[in-house]
Amino acid sequence: MAKGSVRKKGKKWYYRFYVEDASGNLVQKEFTGTESKSETEKLLRQAMEDYEEKKFIAKADNITLGELLDIWAEEELKVGTLSNGTVGNYLQAIGRLKQHPISDRRLKTITSGHLQQFMDLLTFGGTEAEFVSKGYTKDYIRSFSAVLQQSFRFAVFPKQLIAFNPMQYVVMKKKAENVDLFAEDTAENGSVKTLTYELYQKLLAQLGKRSKDAILPVQIAYFTGLRLGEVAGLTWQDINLEEQYLTVRRSVRYNNSRHKTEIGPTKRKKVRVVDFCDTLADILKTAKKAQHKNRFQYGELYQRNYYKEVREKNRIHYEYYCLDGTQEVPADYTEIFFVCLRSDGCLELPATVETACRTARKILPELKDFHFHTLRHTYTSNLLSNGAAPKDVQELLGHSDVSTTMNVYAHATREAKRTSARLLDKVVGE
């Protein structure tokens, strides 16, 4: 136990005790107490207990990787500047990491080999102890890599628990892509799926049988290319029906670590304006009239949507709630007027839309491999194949640069590529 004492200077009492510096030497630290000796002695005891507890945790011989991840999450991740969505993804990765035996290893015993073996398991799949990996996508694995890179860097400095970061020697490997050199199918391998207009109409018809509230989100995505969370986050204030454009400001997502539906910024926190066609304008006008009718029919039982600001450390969350007219609205709730509603007025949540699309896919064989994001691919394909400028499409989609748009959706312009190739016939004909 650290040694400490109190002393009076002027009207105030001060407390001091010895702590170890980075070199292991004892140095005395003094802190301001109160005008009461007993209260200052209480502060001293609490400070020494806190110091001893942290000192114990900080011993690299005692700390495990799992404990390091928890400390890093509390002291750096949650108070940093990353978006709430990224923080949520990293916390999920930490939870998954702690299911693997490597999290129980003492920090000083973990080598680059251990970490490489773990990353390879995520990439190629397999089983270790009770941890099962099916082989994950590159983006999913990047979350684990980022968590391990940053937590080990944190352990090196400022914590000084280890001398170097073993993650610096770990390589992100790729799965080998086998190409069938003798396949008769000439279609482009790995192409992103899109929907024909006929399939889109079949999808709407199927949703109309069992999941009518999911129709409007699907229609908005088909004609604007918005992500599912962005569609859910649209309010009527974001939509200008006269000039036919909408402003994408926010996104709705479920936070698995907090078990709350939250309203947050869009990807890369960018606000963008998306123009839309006459067809969608008519759809939105019809939806607005239907919502007014539902509100009248449900009366007091009609649900109203709200958000609540929650401050946690230096981070702000906006939690989503819905209440009907018979319930008292808390003072810290702010009403928000979403576009995509259920018939009872409650927000049509992204998870509900995903479930509806998954069900439709099981019923209609033609929708094999369809998911909500397919609508975003379809929107892009339709624009590019009909002559839209790639730069315009990039801005409508909210991509960081035009190369992302073209790399992801190059498959969508098959007919445009044919037309471009045949331009050489004109050269020959001249």
Side-chain angles (χ1 to χ4, degrees):
M1 186 73 177
K3 294 181 179 181
S5 61
V6 299
R7 64 171 178 166
K8 191 174 185 181
K9 291 194 292 184
K11 292 184 178 181
K12 283 196 172 183
W13 286 84
Y14 293 76
Y15 62 96
R16 54 187 179 176
F17 60 98
Y18 286 92
V19 300
E20 287 185 15
D21 64 12
S23 302
N25 300 317
L26 290 175
V27 294
Q28 192 177 74
K29 296 284 186 180
E30 185 171 72
F31 306 90
T32 304
T34 68
E35 294 183 5
S36 167
K37 181 180 179 181
S38 61
E39 288 181 1
T40 303
E41 287 175 335
K42 185 178 179 181
L43 290 173
L44 170 64
R45 288 193 296 272
Q46 184 63 52
M48 289 194 296
E49 287 174 6
D50 290 345
Y51 169 70
E52 289 296 331
E53 184 180 355
K54 289 178 181 177
K55 177 183 175 184
F56 174 77
I57 291 176
K59 294 293 184 183
D61 292 339
N62 297 318
I63 194 172
T64 64
L65 173 58
E67 291 169 333
L68 169 67
L69 292 172
D70 287 338
I71 296 170
W72 172 72
E74 290 299 322
E75 296 186 16
E76 186 164 290
L77 176 61
K78 292 182 180 179
V79 298
T81 58
L82 294 174
S83 70
N84 290 341
T86 301
V87 171
N89 290 338
Y90 285 3
L91 290 175
Q92 285 183 41
I94 288 174
R96 186 82 171 103
L97 251 165
K98 291 170 72 174
Q99 296 172 3
H100 189 277
I102 196 172
S103 67
D104 296 323
R105 276 189 167 274
R106 302 296 177 188
L107 201 57
K108 274 194 170 180
T109 68
I110 295 177
T111 65
S112 298
H114 293 131
L115 296 169
Q116 185 70 64
Q117 186 177 347
F118 174 73
M119 296 302 294
D120 289 349
L121 179 64
L122 294 178
T123 302
F124 303 109
T127 302
E128 188 171 342
E130 296 182 359
F131 186 94
V132 179
S133 166
K134 298 177 181 179
Y136 298 112
T137 63
K138 185 166 57 176
D139 287 341
Y140 183 66
I141 295 171
R142 279 200 186 105
S143 293
F144 290 88
S145 178
V147 164
L148 290 169
Q149 287 280 7
Q150 294 178 41
S151 59
F152 274 108
R153 176 198 53 72
F154 174 76
V156 175
F157 186 84
K159 288 301 182 182
Q160 299 183 3
L161 302 176
I162 50 180
F164 73 99
N165 182 352
M167 271 299 291
Q168 65 184 307
Y169 301 109
V170 175
V171 178
M172 288 274 288
K173 298 179 182 177
K174 295 181 180 179
K175 295 178 184 177
E177 294 186 7
N178 297 319
V179 179
D180 188 349
L181 301 179
F182 306 100
E184 294 182 7
D185 184 6
T186 58
E188 295 179 26
N189 294 325
S191 63
V192 180
K193 303 296 181 184
T194 59
L195 283 184
T196 63
Y197 186 65
E198 290 71 27
L199 275 182
Y200 163 71
Q201 290 177 311
K202 284 188 177 182
L203 171 62
L204 295 185
Q206 181 58 44
L207 293 175
K209 296 176 183 178
R210 306 181 61 172
S211 308
K212 291 183 179 179
D213 296 331
I215 290 178
L216 182 59
V218 167
Q219 290 172 319
I220 292 174
Y222 183 84
F223 288 109
T224 64
L226 267 62
R227 303 175 179 93
L228 177 53
E230 294 171 343
V231 172
L234 281 176
T235 67
W236 286 111
Q237 290 86 346
D238 299 323
I239 296 179
N240 188 320
L241 287 171
E242 290 184 5
E243 298 185 32
Q244 295 185 194
Y245 69 85
L246 56 83
T247 306
V248 185
R249 305 178 189 278
R250 66 193 74 79
S251 181
V252 174
R253 65 185 296 274
Y254 184 76
N255 189 321
N256 286 300
S257 62
R258 292 158 55 83
H259 306 292
K260 296 284 186 182
T261 297
E262 295 179 348
I263 304 168
T266 62
K267 195 172 183 179
R268 286 183 290 278
K269 301 181 180 180
K270 287 189 175 181
V271 175
R272 69 184 190 277
V273 174
V274 179
D275 294 284
F276 55 82
C277 60
D278 294 341
T279 304
L280 182 57
D282 291 338
I283 289 170
L284 291 170
K285 289 173 184 176
T286 302
K288 198 168 189 178
K289 290 178 182 177
Q291 289 173 15
H292 284 303
K293 183 178 178 181
N294 288 336
R295 189 166 191 148
F296 176 76
Q297 290 179 336
Y298 275 81
E300 283 189 328
L301 297 179
Y302 194 73
Q303 300 283 331
R304 289 168 172 79
N305 300 287
Y306 302 89
Y307 66 85
K308 173 186 175 183
E309 181 181 296
V310 179
R311 292 183 177 270
E312 185 180 73
K313 298 188 177 179
N314 73 332
R315 193 171 291 279
I316 299 176
H317 304 279
Y318 296 95
E319 295 177 351
Y320 163 75
Y321 297 94
C322 66
L323 302 171
D324 66 38
T326 67
Q327 297 172 287
E328 185 177 348
V329 181
D332 56 352
Y333 280 27
T334 302
E335 190 167 6
I336 184 169
F337 301 94
F338 289 115
V339 172
C340 296
L341 303 179
R342 300 189 322 216
S343 58
D344 65 356
C346 191
L347 171 65
E348 178 73 348
L349 296 171
T352 308
V353 178
E354 285 182 327
T355 300
C357 290
R358 192 159 50 244
T359 302
R361 184 179 67 210
K362 290 178 181 177
I363 295 173
L364 297 176
E366 309 98 303
L367 292 177
K368 181 184 177 182
D369 300 326
F370 168 78
H371 49 83
F372 191 89
H373 207 73
T374 305
L375 298 166
R376 183 169 167 86
H377 300 323
T378 302
Y379 170 78
T380 312
S381 171
N382 288 340
L383 289 181
L384 291 175
S385 59
N386 284 284
K391 185 66 178 175
D392 292 339
V393 178
Q394 173 217 332
E395 292 177 357
L396 289 168
L397 290 169
H399 282 157
S400 56
D401 58 67
V402 73
S403 64
T404 303
T405 307
M406 298 312 294
N407 287 340
V408 175
Y409 300 107
H411 72 282
T413 56
R414 182 69 184 150
E415 192 58 42
K417 286 186 282 187
R418 281 200 189 98
T419 302
S420 297
R422 288 165 184 166
L423 288 175
L424 293 178
D425 289 331
K426 294 183 179 181
V427 175
V428 176
E430 289 178 355

